[in-house]
Amino acid sequence: MTARTENLNVAGIDQMPSPAEIKTRVPLTERAAETVLAGRRALMDILDRQDPRLFVIVGPCSIHDPAAGVDYARRLRQLADRVRDTFHVVMRVYFEKPRTSTGWKGFINDPRMDDSFRIEEGMERGRRFLLDVAELGLPAATEALDPIAPQYYGDLISWTAIGARTAESQTHREMASGLSTPVGFKNSTDGSLEAGVNGVLSASRPHSFLGLNERGESAIIRTRGNGYGHLVLRGGGGRPNYDTVSVSLAEQALAKAKLPGNIVVDCSHSNSWKKPELQPLVMRDVMHQIREGNRSVVGVMIESFIEAGTQPIPADLTQLRYGCSVTDACVSWETTEEMLLGAHDVLRGSLPKRRAA
């Protein structure tokens, strides 16, 4: 008998419904499709300098409670209307969480937060949540971590991030080249720009790679390339990189690679030393740069939820605080309103000159 040579460390392989099956259970509606497409068009117009506004990716570090998430989305939808002259608001909806070592990996992987890993349930509930947000008329952003996941809910996404830990990954660059959304590549966790810039460049080109089709079958995916990649500055290596010097260096790195000078500043992570109370200061500094004539910064990211801070996941989930993050700490809803309304007032007279000639 031939010795077994594969799956030696695999405990089980469970059947997963195909993307087409999940989409049949939670179908895209006409209203949701309109929201998604309008969201993408606005983002592309901003990146093309046809729209002088900035875009804001704002929302919880991760979604763990859909009810609180929809509550937040309703509030954000109303706020988006108040600042629409200066900002195109997109809700941050992150279901997958890259972990440095171990920890809860997100709503799709473990929707019940009890290590039962009911991925089929997480995928269906995650898609339903995105549909609910889109039905409100609010576009959604997410991080693409698992290369299979976009087949299940990519039709409900308007903006995608490639994170600091995966920006150098060939798999993620290939995937980004075929996504239907603008894609922001973050700089590395050590603060270097090279992986992010090279990621934008790579994703702009056509690729061919192994993947899944809608029926869940192995397929060769051939992409056209994504012309709407851009760089996201999130700090790293023990220092922020949202200041004028860092932004100028990022502009130079993009120009050297012959890429559009489109930069997004993440107000969280290493730019605020992971202290949510510093996010408003980062935002204020970036708005000042724009008012003083900066043209390369096209958007910002904010980690925000109903309640400020973060909380550990308790054994008794009924003890979870409503509307409070279970991953990175966030600013409160009240602070979110203050940040966006304050920035709106600062920029109102400064944006028209940012339009392309």
Side-chain angles (χ1 to χ4, degrees), residues 1 17 29 61 66 118 151 153 238 259 268 277-278 284 330:
M1 176 183 257
T29 63
C61 176
R118 299 173 187 265
Q151 294 284 16
Y153 56 75
L259 291 168
S268 187
E277 64 272 18
L278 297 182
R284 196 175 307 157
C330 297

Side-chain angles (χ1 to χ4, degrees), residues 34-47 51-58 76-77 79-92 137-141 157-159 182 298-301 340 344 347 351:
E34 289 172 356
T35 297
V36 172
L37 292 174
R40 292 175 185 172
R41 281 194 298 269
L43 289 162
M44 291 174 183
D45 284 347
I46 291 169
L47 291 165
D51 185 336
R53 297 179 299 166
L54 280 79
F55 62 85
V56 180
I57 311 298
V58 55
L76 188 61
R77 180 67 183 85
L79 180 57
D81 286 340
R82 297 174 67 185
V83 298
R84 65 192 312 166
D85 291 342
T86 51
F87 297 119
H88 174 55
V89 176
V90 182
M91 180 170 167
R92 175 188 171 110
L138 188 63
I157 298 297
S158 292
W159 184 88
V298 292
V300 295
M301 300 182 71
L340 290 185
H344 171 71
L347 293 184
L351 293 184

Side-chain angles (χ1 to χ4, degrees), residues 85-107:
D85 291 342
T86 51
F87 297 119
H88 174 55
V89 176
V90 182
M91 180 170 167
R92 175 188 171 110
V93 181
Y94 280 31
F95 294 127
E96 303 176 273
K97 296 305 298 177
R99 312 314 303 184
T100 302
S101 54
T102 59
W104 183 64
K105 291 192 287 187
F107 188 78

Side-chain angles (χ1 to χ4, degrees), residues 267 272 275-285 331 335 338-339:
C267 295
S272 60
K275 297 179 180 179
E277 64 272 18
L278 297 182
Q279 287 192 68
L281 300 181
V282 179
M283 178 86 160
R284 196 175 307 157
D285 186 284
V331 297
T335 299
E338 291 170 3
M339 290 173 69

Side-chain angles (χ1 to χ4, degrees), residues 313-340:
I313 300 174
D316 179 2
L317 296 180
T318 64
Q319 299 303 307
L320 280 169
R321 299 200 326 270
Y322 179 80
C324 184
S325 174
V326 298
T327 45
D328 287 352
C330 297
V331 297
S332 69
W333 175 251
E334 291 75 18
T335 299
T336 305
E337 284 189 308
E338 291 170 3
M339 290 173 69
L340 290 185

